Amino acid sequence: MKKQFLIALAALVGVIVQSAPIQAGEAYLGGQVFGMSTTHDFGGFNTVGGFSNDDSVNERHAGIALTFGMRDQFKLGNMAITPEVEAAWYENYNITSASFPGLPNPAFFYRSKVKTGRLGVNLWTPFHNEGPWRAEAGAGFGMLYRDFRTNDTVVGGDEDDFAVYGKLGLRFIRSVGQRGSLTFGGSYIASSKTKVSLVSNGGGGPAGSLSLKTRGPELHIGYQFSLGNK
């Protein structure tokens, strides 16, 4: 199913890129930096100790994103729609969650290392567009790549997999110069889970699983460069 989703996403990206010739003011390239306050929801069950791996941990991290969009390319009723392809990378980070004997007073902890990137499609529509300012509301979806490695000194595991994500956001754009624009705004992003199969350290047998899914707000600031002649 994930392979089919990736194929469908790649096809949609291709349609957006090839949907129309680049004309003045239509196409743009963008770059942005962002910071997130992410809630990590852990789950699964440790069969060696017989306890739940449930926990919820907040972690702050940062990243960068590149975008390609076609400004006001489509109409949906009276709304102009800007389709946008987005690729983002997060900084690698470490996070600690409850292990044996589970919450509320764990004596052991999973220490996990997470690497993350995402590729998706956003759709934006303006609700203010006067003078140098433009304000847009949008939604997006795509695939999030997650490399997830964990160990609590007794059991451990690693997995790299794709998860589905969705986002809702607002952004504000201010023209600067003939082709440039500053952007800033915020989004709320949530992903489906990645599950790691645990095994006992030292070549032991299966030990259950630890899963991870994420959600939280993202704040970003960036720059867009128009590819058309104004």
Side-chain angles (χ1 to χ4, degrees):
M1 181 177 178
K2 291 177 180 176
K3 181 178 180 181
Q4 294 172 337
F5 190 96
L6 283 172
I7 294 172
L9 179 61
L12 182 56
V13 169
V15 168
I16 290 173
V17 172
Q18 300 178 26
S19 60
I22 295 175
Q23 299 176 9
E26 283 190 327
Y28 62 85
L29 290 174
Q32 60 191 31
V33 294
F34 58 83
M36 295 188 69
S37 179
T38 304
T39 299
H40 297 72
D41 294 319
F42 291 92
F45 193 84
N46 186 312
T47 57
V48 172
F51 59 90
S52 169
N53 290 325
D54 290 352
D55 200 357
S56 185
V57 182
N58 189 267
E59 181 77 16
R60 296 179 181 178
H61 50 275
I64 60 173
L66 298 176
T67 58
F68 172 79
M70 306 288 282
R71 184 94 62 210
D72 297 339
Q73 189 65 30
F74 307 110
K75 285 282 189 178
L76 182 61
N78 293 324
M79 295 190 302
I81 303 296
T82 296
E84 179 184 81
V85 180
E86 179 185 46
W89 298 265
Y90 301 77
E91 63 176 335
N92 300 340
Y93 61 95
N94 300 313
I95 191 166
T96 300
S97 62
S99 180
F100 179 84
L103 295 177
N105 298 306
F108 287 74
F109 295 87
Y110 292 105
R111 305 195 184 275
S112 304
K113 184 174 183 178
V114 183
K115 301 178 182 179
T116 310
R118 71 173 191 256
L119 175 65
V121 174
N122 304 320
L123 298 175
W124 299 96
T125 185
F127 59 89
H128 175 83
N129 192 14
E130 294 182 7
W133 287 97
R134 177 183 174 105
E136 298 177 331
F141 73 98
M143 295 299 291
L144 183 147
Y145 171 79
R146 185 181 284 135
D147 187 322
F148 180 28
R149 302 173 185 271
T150 193
N151 200 298
D152 73 348
T153 73
V154 178
V155 303
D158 62 85
E159 182 69 46
D160 58 328
D161 200 0
F162 291 94
V164 179
Y165 79 87
K167 64 183 289 187
L168 296 173
L170 295 173
R171 70 179 181 185
F172 301 89
I173 304 171
R174 192 186 193 285
S175 298
V176 287
Q178 290 297 310
R179 293 194 179 186
S181 298
L182 294 176
T183 67
F184 61 95
S187 301
Y188 188 90
I189 301 179
S191 79
S192 61
K193 71 173 62 174
T194 298
K195 184 171 73 172
V196 174
S197 296
L198 300 174
V199 296
S200 298
N201 291 341
S209 67
L210 177 68
S211 66
L212 170 64
K213 59 182 179 181
T214 56
R215 54 189 167 87
E218 172 185 297
L219 297 177
H220 60 81
I221 184 169
Y223 182 83
Q224 290 180 356
F225 179 78
S226 171
L227 299 179
N229 294 316
K230 292 190 176 182

